[in-house]
Amino acid sequence: MNRITADFLIIGSGVSGLFSALKLAPLGSVVVVTKKSDYESNTNYAQGGIASVFDDKDKFEEHIEDTLSAGAGLCDLDAVRILVEEGPTRVRELLEIGVPFTRDDSGNLDLAREGGHRKNRIVHSHDRTGSAVEAALLDAVHARPNIQILENHACVDLITRHHIKNKSDLPLRCYGAYIVDTETGEVFPVIAKKTLLATGGAGQVYLHTTNPSIATGDGVASAYRAGAIIKNMEFYQFHPTSLFHEQGNSFLISEAVRGHGGILREINGRPFMKDYHEMGELAPRDIVARAIDDTMKKRGEPHVLLDITHKPANDIIHHFPSIYEKCKKLGIDITTDSIPVVPAAHYMCGGVATDLLGRTNIQDLYACGETTCTGVHGGNRLASNSLLECLVFSHRIAEDIKKEGPINFASESKEIPDWNKEGTTNTEEWVLISHNLGEVRTIMSNYVGIVRSNLRLERALRRLNLISEEVKDYYNRTTVSLGLLELRNLVKVADLIVRSALLRKESRGLHFSTDYPEDRTPSRKDTVLHNLS
């Protein structure tokens, strides 16, 4: 396989990637690149649901106000209004595609409630919403003959003028990407008229995360190297309640459990959330995560408890079947036992800066979903606004491309060279530096977690700089592999998070600094990083 040409290249197969593919398919050929199987994505692990106004007693303005309140003064109002007002139409499209959203006894959508929401507005498919959406979208995508999915393939780098000889005077433009077949090691260019990044988050940059192993920040790292503007990377959301168990990996215990009446308790049984916020268990995620972190540290305990046992057993199993099954396999019966929980890295609120149509500062490069910073989430994402953002902005990207009319390949795209692996070798040194991945995660968890300080951040940056140089040297003389690409991307994402955190001289939203314990900036101010080399 020397090269592929397509009208549209989409990197990522979560809801952003698949919904975009369906929207773009009527306009031309689509290639979707995904690192593992086509169903493996952050979307597939999303339990809670999609926030949207469907109840007659709810209003757009209330959803907007809740989003702005959670965002700690950093949300872009226009982006939030678009998200909220266009959301119900996109959710109805999922219903038409066949997503089996849960209904109440009257046949209406069963609307749940989660932290930060003053009304019940979470459309869900029990506690498996993400996997239900992913499955329905995949069925629809597989039915379209002009959508090609490349499983077990990964993005090496976006193709820009830097890859074309004697073309440094060209405008900054994306021509597609170099893609590696992770099973054979072959690297080849996929040349496209438009490229869309939909690679999800970067939870693997921390030791404890609710994200799958593929969440390594590939989109943000690739975009930064290509010259894209990156915003607000200091805002990494820690989900307050991840399962704590010696035999179990981090497993998300949905916000909906607290929305359904779950109570957070110290190990001795005392409820503590009212000590921290008037909304108690339904306070925004940043506040709940800090409250749990503070409670654990004060008491010297490894976790807290989430108690839903006061609800009828049948009701618990009906609303949370997958959580019940997962915990039961580990010896925890959530109908009779409290669930041991800790905060874990969950969602990246910053990312590749886009406008309200999903366009980046690089011509012909779009981005959508968790890998972006649209201004929707501000300093802290409101629960269940994430899948909604994917749907709304995927649609807007497709509409923007449609308005352009017929699109031709850039004339210089035929000058894009094949991948050059000359001077690189397969080496056994990987085992000698693979510990860097564990070191990056440890550094980030110890120094750049829920509570930070300048001293911790500066110490983290010094250590990351050393690791970055080692990885850069190894990458330049080694053939491409998935493990190396992911390590390279995680090191860059870690660097961007730390440098962004050092730029913010205040505590706001998900970024809490002991050096600046108060909100100090009176108006919206983003942190911006831009690779100009």
Side-chain angles (χ1 to χ4, degrees):
M1 186 184 293
N2 292 321
R3 60 180 59 208
I4 293 176
T5 58
D7 293 307
F8 310 110
L9 168 63
I10 298 173
I11 304 173
S13 64
V15 64
S16 292
L18 296 179
F19 202 62
S20 296
L22 287 175
K23 294 281 183 177
L24 292 172
L27 307 179
S29 59
V30 181
V31 171
V32 179
V33 171
T34 183
K35 287 200 293 187
K36 296 290 179 68
S37 300
D38 54 14
Y39 58 80
E40 182 71 355
S41 66
N42 274 5
T43 297
N44 202 42
Y45 291 77
Q47 295 176 359
I50 305 172
S52 206
V53 175
F54 280 97
D55 194 319
D56 292 340
K57 298 177 182 178
D58 199 3
K59 294 181 175 61
F60 286 152
E61 288 303 322
E62 290 179 297
H63 189 180
I64 290 170
E65 289 171 9
D66 288 347
T67 301
L68 296 176
S69 177
L74 279 173
C75 296
D76 180 274
L77 178 58
D78 291 336
V80 173
R81 188 169 295 281
I82 286 167
L83 176 84
V84 170
E85 294 182 356
E86 296 183 10
T89 302
R90 304 285 82 80
V91 173
R92 291 188 187 98
E93 288 184 33
L94 291 185
L95 285 166
E96 293 169 6
I97 289 171
V99 178
F101 289 123
T102 302
R103 303 276 182 169
D104 61 22
D105 293 338
S106 302
N108 299 315
L109 289 171
D110 181 63
L111 301 176
R113 187 179 177 195
E114 296 180 353
H117 292 273
R118 290 173 293 172
K119 294 289 179 65
N120 287 38
R121 62 169 70 101
I122 312 302
V123 181
H124 62 98
S125 184
H126 294 294
D127 62 347
R128 298 187 178 102
T129 305
S131 61
V133 171
E134 183 84 2
L137 289 175
L138 276 172
D139 286 345
V141 164
H142 287 153
R144 301 300 297 257
N146 64 334
I147 301 177
Q148 179 184 10
I149 299 181
L150 299 179
E151 294 182 307
N152 300 307
H153 285 70
C155 175
V156 179
D157 269 321
L158 297 173
I159 300 172
T160 65
R161 65 191 178 199
H162 301 96
H163 298 94
I164 304 176
K165 290 183 179 179
N166 303 317
K167 295 290 184 179
S168 60
D169 58 338
L170 288 171
L172 187 57
R173 186 174 194 169
C174 182
Y175 304 98
Y178 285 110
I179 302 297
V180 61
D181 181 330
T182 59
E183 295 182 329
T184 68
E186 179 188 10
V187 180
F188 57 92
V190 177
I191 300 166
K193 298 173 183 176
K194 303 285 184 182
T195 301
L196 170 63
L197 290 173
T199 54
Q204 293 298 325
V205 79
Y206 287 98
L207 282 172
H208 302 289
T209 178
T210 63
N211 294 180
S213 61
I214 60 168
T216 52
D218 304 338
V220 169
S222 298
Y224 179 79
R225 288 193 297 267
I229 295 170
I230 310 296
K231 285 185 178 180
N232 293 347
M233 287 293 288
E234 69 272 30
F235 297 118
Y236 215 106
Q237 186 178 78
F238 283 72
H239 196 286
T241 52
S242 172
L243 177 68
F244 178 86
H245 197 279
E246 292 180 0
Q247 279 80 47
N249 295 324
S250 294
F251 175 74
L252 174 65
I253 306 298
S254 172
E255 188 114 18
V257 174
R258 284 182 285 124
H260 199 64
I263 299 169
L264 286 165
R265 302 182 184 276
E266 297 170 354
I267 290 178
N268 65 11
R270 190 185 81 87
F272 60 86
M273 272 309 303
K274 287 292 186 181
D275 300 343
Y276 293 90
H277 196 276
E278 60 184 13
M279 292 181 73
E281 277 72 13
L282 291 178
R285 284 181 178 171
D286 59 326
I287 294 169
V288 179
R290 280 200 300 273
I292 293 174
D293 182 69
D294 186 57
T295 298
M296 289 164 54
K297 287 176 178 174
K298 281 181 177 176
R299 298 185 58 81
E301 294 172 342
H303 62 81
V304 297
L305 298 172
L306 179 57
D307 180 14
I308 191 80
T309 60
H310 50 283
K311 292 284 187 177
N314 289 339
D315 179 70
I316 295 171
I317 296 170
H318 171 73
H319 280 89
F320 310 110
S322 103
I323 295 173
Y324 174 79
E325 292 165 10
K326 178 73 172 181
C327 290
K328 194 70 181 289
K329 288 178 181 178
L330 296 171
I332 302 167
D333 184 342
I334 67 172
T335 66
T336 58
D337 304 324
S338 295
I339 309 167
V341 294
V342 293
H346 183 57
Y347 192 88
M348 183 172 67
C349 290
V352 183
T354 69
D355 65 12
L356 299 180
L357 295 170
R359 297 178 294 201
T360 72
N361 64 297
I362 299 177
Q363 187 177 342
D364 295 332
L365 178 66
Y366 291 80
C368 188
E370 189 174 354
T371 200
T372 69
C373 182
T374 61
V376 159
H377 305 305
N380 176 35
R381 176 177 68 90
L382 181 65
S384 288
N385 270 353
S386 52
L387 295 182
L388 186 67
E389 179 189 30
C390 297
L391 297 170
V392 167
F393 286 91
S394 292
H395 175 80
R396 292 180 71 81
I397 288 169
E399 289 298 299
D400 184 59
I401 292 173
K402 184 189 293 186
K403 287 178 183 177
E404 280 194 44
I407 307 167
N408 296 317
F409 283 100
S411 59
E412 60 270 20
S413 62
K414 55 177 166 285
E415 300 178 49
I416 293 167
D418 292 333
W419 181 256
N420 181 11
K421 63 178 182 180
E422 185 177 343
T424 63
T425 60
N426 286 309
T427 174
E428 297 178 0
E429 289 181 39
W430 170 251
V431 70
L432 300 178
I433 76 157
S434 60
H435 73 280
N436 280 341
L437 183 55
E439 192 174 349
V440 168
R441 290 169 171 163
T442 300
I443 289 168
M444 293 298 291
S445 296
N446 288 345
Y447 300 139
V448 201
I450 294 172
V451 177
R452 303 157 180 182
S453 69
N454 286 342
L455 178 64
R456 294 179 188 178
L457 293 172
E458 288 163 359
R459 182 171 294 177
L461 190 60
R462 286 196 299 272
R463 283 156 174 74
L464 288 171
N465 285 339
L466 292 173
I467 296 172
S468 180
E469 288 302 312
E470 290 180 5
V471 173
K472 181 179 179 180
D473 172 69
Y474 186 75
Y475 177 83
N476 287 338
R477 57 189 174 85
T478 308
T479 52
V480 171
S481 68
L482 180 59
L484 177 57
L485 290 178
E486 291 183 331
L487 174 60
R488 180 191 185 213
N489 290 335
L490 281 173
V491 171
K492 177 49 64 182
V493 167
D495 170 75
L496 292 170
I497 292 172
V498 173
R499 287 199 285 136
S500 294
L502 282 167
L503 288 174
R504 188 164 292 281
K505 308 298 184 183
E506 62 171 350
S507 288
R508 186 179 292 271
L510 299 165
H511 173 75
F512 186 86
S513 170
T514 56
D515 293 294
Y516 313 102
E518 304 295 331
D519 293 354
R520 297 193 175 193
T521 305
S523 59
R524 183 173 184 264
K525 184 177 181 181
D526 296 319
T527 57
V528 178
L529 296 174
H530 190 193
N531 177 21
L532 298 174
S533 61

